[in-house]
Amino acid sequence: QLVESGGGLVQPGGSLRLSCAASGFTVSNNNMNWVRQAPGKGLEWVSVFYSGGGTHLADSVKGRFTISRDNSKNTLYLQMNSLRAEDTAVYSCARDPTWGTPGYFDYWGQGTLVTVSS
Amino acid sequence: SYELTQPPSVSVSPGQTASITCFGDKLGDKYTYWYQQKPGQSPVLVISQYNKRPSGIPERFSGSNSGNTATLTISGTQAMDEADYYCQAWDSSTGYVFGTGTKVTVL
């Protein structure tokens, strides 16, 4: 199970930290991702924390967002700074269980809504 | 950056076959996955690695991938299959990539 929290209303230029608490599996043994979906729009991948320890950010959030994980809490985080109106979306965490070449998402959280507006 | 393109919409009559395409440069060299998303719900994986169906996904869902195009086929489409469908792949430079999404309407 994946449970996100931390969303809310924030002004442009502001910051938020999202959390994704996992249960039933170990976060550090999987490629853990953040995926967002703006209202009425498609899915957009945001960031990954690979099981091997590396990270990757989409170009649209590079330099503004940071992904991290706390193995002791089995939790994934997304620190979002310099937020823009176009970052408004439901943010979900998703697990990629594959080894070797990264693959697919088999478990998704329900998501947390981030609204960037003045 | 790597991109995946899908048709915005596909219409199909009940019991007929729906084909949803996903276009990307040399997509046939990558693993392609497919998700179904119904309104207000999280996406559900319907086609996994090696074009296999995860447990619980009906046999009417199948996938293929060759050249620059991947295809999700729904045979004997049912009303419950009406949803948005997304293809997805991984690219070493871009990361994970989703297709633009296709709305399937069962008329």
Side-chain angles (χ1 to χ4, degrees), chain B residues 17-95:
Chain B
T17 297
S19 295
I20 305 164
T21 55
C22 174
F23 178 86
D25 184 48
K26 298 180 181 178
L27 184 56
D29 294 342
K30 304 179 185 295
Y31 294 118
T32 305
Y33 311 101
W34 290 91
Y35 302 87
Q36 175 193 71
Q37 186 181 33
K38 296 183 178 180
Q41 298 183 16
S42 298
V44 173
L45 181 70
V46 295
I47 295 294
S48 182
Q49 212 162 21
Y50 310 118
N51 290 317
K52 291 185 177 179
R53 286 173 289 101
S55 175
I57 301 301
E59 291 184 7
R60 62 180 179 273
F61 289 89
S62 63
S64 63
N65 189 8
S66 179
N68 295 319
T69 305
T71 303
L72 173 68
T73 302
I74 311 173
S75 304
T77 307
Q78 300 183 9
M80 68 174 65
D81 300 329
E82 189 163 285
D84 294 327
Y85 290 83
Y86 296 90
C87 58
Q88 178 252 312
W90 182 85
D91 177 77
S92 59
S93 296
T94 306

Side-chain angles (χ1 to χ4, degrees), chain A residues 31 33 35 37 42-43 45 48 50 56 96 102-105 108-110, chain B residues 1 33 35 37 42-43 45 48-49 86 88 90 92-96 98:
Chain A
N31 300 323
N33 292 262
V35 176
Q37 188 167 31
L43 300 171
W45 173 77
V48 60
Y50 292 112
H56 195 165
D96 169 8
Y104 56 88
F105 306 117
W108 298 68
Q110 285 302 306
Chain B
S1 63
Y33 311 101
Y35 302 87
Q37 186 181 33
S42 298
L45 181 70
S48 182
Q49 212 162 21
Y86 296 90
Q88 178 252 312
W90 182 85
S92 59
S93 296
T94 306
Y96 297 80
F98 286 101

Side-chain angles (χ1 to χ4, degrees), chain A residues 25-69:
Chain A
F25 68 93
T26 303
V27 161
S28 60
N29 290 341
N30 294 269
N31 300 323
M32 296 301 299
N33 292 262
W34 289 99
V35 176
R36 69 184 180 183
Q37 188 167 31
K41 302 297 184 181
L43 300 171
E44 181 187 11
W45 173 77
V46 174
S47 185
V48 60
F49 202 118
Y50 292 112
S51 59
T55 63
H56 195 165
L57 291 162
D59 287 346
S60 59
V61 303
K62 206 166 289 184
R64 300 187 299 124
F65 291 10
T66 304
I67 191 170
S68 62
R69 73 186 184 197

